Amino acid sequence: MNDEAFEICRNRITKSHWLKWSYTCFAEDVKSLAEEENSVFVDAMLNEEVYSVEKLHETFGEPSSEEELDDSTSRQFFNLEREDEATSLEVIADISTEDAEEVINLTFSIDFEDVVYEDADAFSDTYSELVDHALVLHNEGTMIERDQVVETLCDPTTITLAGSYELLVYSVGDSDSSTDYIVVLLDDKVYALNEHSNADGNLEKDFDITPSQLNQLSHTSGVTYNEMVDQIGQPDSIYHDFPNSVITYVWYSDTDEDFSEISYITDFRDIMVGIGHQLQGE
């Protein structure tokens, strides 16, 4: 990021932030900049206005890298970081290249490298308690709010702003066997909870099931989660979707001959809703 963009960031009026640890001014500026630009982008989308590429470059400078997503969309990456700080901001902008260029999607990810969780078992237990509490409140017609999440799980390792959604990401464990616990917030309330395993070898597995067997299984009433685990192992992702009252379990593979992804969906009473899949090469 160029000096001018850095000064823009430094000169922002710092908003009050809820992180309980004492971060430097740079960290506060990074979060404030992301919040402000995300708000401007959301307002533009809601009012069917354009968040221009010119404004994007005026705020964040020239991109650090760029790639073509398809014939009509490119993606630009911007990074704001300092060697002496444990906080960084990555901005990802998807840009329509049809007719006049305009930003069609913005994502902000703020990393707090000083926040480290090494006791994976203890964090997993705490997260499970949060999930159970969220399900109880859901049955009562209420939702967990952001302050309760932070009080329970403490500070996230990453904050991601994506349109109207805010994601609190807790990366737990070491580089060989880590898990991301992702709290999706909408209007400061928990919209979804996602546990996603990044352990080495997760994608290097074969499912002991064929497409025809899976299709037959999907038409079998009452298939349980434990039966799915017995058939294909522990899932790589567990996603609690509170607005739709469903849980989606997902298994991924880069090496299985047939499947790249298998999903199993239940409602909050553990009753099967459906089984889906994605074939390799799709």
Side-chain angles (χ1 to χ4, degrees), residues 62-67 74-79 90-91 93:
E62 292 301 313
S64 56
S65 61
E66 183 173 1
E67 63 183 40
S74 66
R75 175 169 289 172
Q76 295 186 0
F77 299 84
F78 304 81
N79 292 286
E90 180 182 52
V91 181

Side-chain angles (χ1 to χ4, degrees), residues 9-105:
C9 176
R10 296 291 293 177
N11 292 331
R12 302 281 177 170
I13 299 174
T14 303
K15 298 179 181 179
S16 60
H17 65 292
W18 50 268
L19 290 171
K20 64 183 177 62
W21 289 7
S22 178
Y23 288 107
T24 63
C25 183
F26 178 75
E28 295 175 356
D29 286 344
V30 161
K31 189 167 186 293
S32 292
L33 176 62
E35 288 177 334
E36 184 170 335
E37 292 304 320
N38 182 68
S39 178
V40 171
F41 175 72
V42 171
D43 287 345
M45 294 297 100
L46 292 176
N47 293 302
E48 298 183 352
E49 298 172 354
V50 173
Y51 188 106
S52 67
V53 175
E54 180 182 359
K55 173 173 175 53
L56 179 72
H57 292 173
E58 177 185 322
T59 305
F60 298 106
E62 292 301 313
S64 56
S65 61
E66 183 173 1
E67 63 183 40
E68 297 297 322
L69 297 183
D70 53 47
D71 292 340
S72 61
T73 312
S74 66
R75 175 169 289 172
Q76 295 186 0
F77 299 84
F78 304 81
N79 292 286
L80 175 60
E81 57 186 7
R82 283 184 10 189
E83 292 182 0
D84 59 337
E85 299 288 352
T87 307
S88 61
L89 168 66
E90 180 182 52
V91 181
I92 302 175
D94 292 341
I95 298 170
S96 171
T97 55
E98 292 183 330
D99 300 324
E101 287 190 335
E102 62 183 66
V103 179
I104 56 177
N105 188 53

Side-chain angles (χ1 to χ4, degrees), residues 13-261:
I13 299 174
T14 303
K15 298 179 181 179
S16 60
H17 65 292
W18 50 268
L19 290 171
K20 64 183 177 62
W21 289 7
S22 178
Y23 288 107
T24 63
C25 183
F26 178 75
E28 295 175 356
D29 286 344
V30 161
K31 189 167 186 293
S32 292
L33 176 62
E35 288 177 334
E36 184 170 335
E37 292 304 320
N38 182 68
S39 178
V40 171
F41 175 72
V42 171
D43 287 345
M45 294 297 100
L46 292 176
N47 293 302
E48 298 183 352
E49 298 172 354
V50 173
Y51 188 106
S52 67
V53 175
E54 180 182 359
K55 173 173 175 53
L56 179 72
H57 292 173
E58 177 185 322
T59 305
F60 298 106
E62 292 301 313
S64 56
S65 61
E66 183 173 1
E67 63 183 40
E68 297 297 322
L69 297 183
D70 53 47
D71 292 340
S72 61
T73 312
S74 66
R75 175 169 289 172
Q76 295 186 0
F77 299 84
F78 304 81
N79 292 286
L80 175 60
E81 57 186 7
R82 283 184 10 189
E83 292 182 0
D84 59 337
E85 299 288 352
T87 307
S88 61
L89 168 66
E90 180 182 52
V91 181
I92 302 175
D94 292 341
I95 298 170
S96 171
T97 55
E98 292 183 330
D99 300 324
E101 287 190 335
E102 62 183 66
V103 179
I104 56 177
N105 188 53
L106 267 181
T107 303
F108 305 84
S109 288
I110 310 155
D111 288 328
F112 300 97
E113 297 174 10
D114 279 353
V115 181
V116 178
Y117 295 100
E118 296 179 344
D119 192 335
D121 291 339
F123 193 96
S124 177
D125 290 343
T126 304
Y127 175 80
S128 295
E129 292 172 2
L130 180 72
V131 171
D132 291 342
H133 184 51
L135 290 172
V136 169
L137 292 184
H138 179 271
N139 289 335
E140 296 174 352
T142 59
M143 303 169 71
I144 292 182
E145 298 192 0
R146 179 169 60 179
D147 289 345
Q148 295 173 279
V149 173
V150 178
E151 182 179 343
T152 303
L153 300 181
C154 295
D155 297 330
T157 53
T158 301
I159 298 172
T160 297
L161 304 176
S164 299
Y165 297 94
E166 180 176 2
L167 283 65
L168 309 183
V169 183
Y170 297 82
S171 295
V172 180
D174 55 36
S175 57
D176 294 330
S177 182
S178 67
T179 301
D180 288 340
Y181 298 90
I182 305 168
V183 181
V184 183
L185 301 169
L186 180 63
D187 297 328
D188 287 340
K189 293 181 174 59
V190 172
Y191 180 91
L193 293 168
N194 184 205
E195 177 182 350
H196 186 94
S197 173
N198 303 305
D200 281 356
N202 269 19
L203 299 179
E204 299 174 3
K205 60 177 177 290
D206 294 324
F207 301 123
D208 188 20
I209 191 170
T210 65
S212 60
Q213 289 173 326
L214 185 67
N215 183 60
Q216 182 178 358
L217 195 63
S218 67
H219 290 87
T220 302
S221 176
V223 175
T224 68
Y225 168 70
N226 287 334
E227 288 173 329
M228 290 294 295
V229 171
D230 288 342
Q231 188 80 27
I232 57 178
Q234 293 293 331
D236 301 309
S237 174
I238 303 175
Y239 186 88
H240 287 77
D241 179 343
F242 290 97
N244 295 304
S245 303
V246 297
I247 307 171
T248 301
Y249 304 88
V250 185
W251 293 258
Y252 301 102
S253 176
D254 281 344
T255 58
D256 186 84
E257 181 179 343
D258 295 312
F259 301 107
S260 62
E261 179 181 314

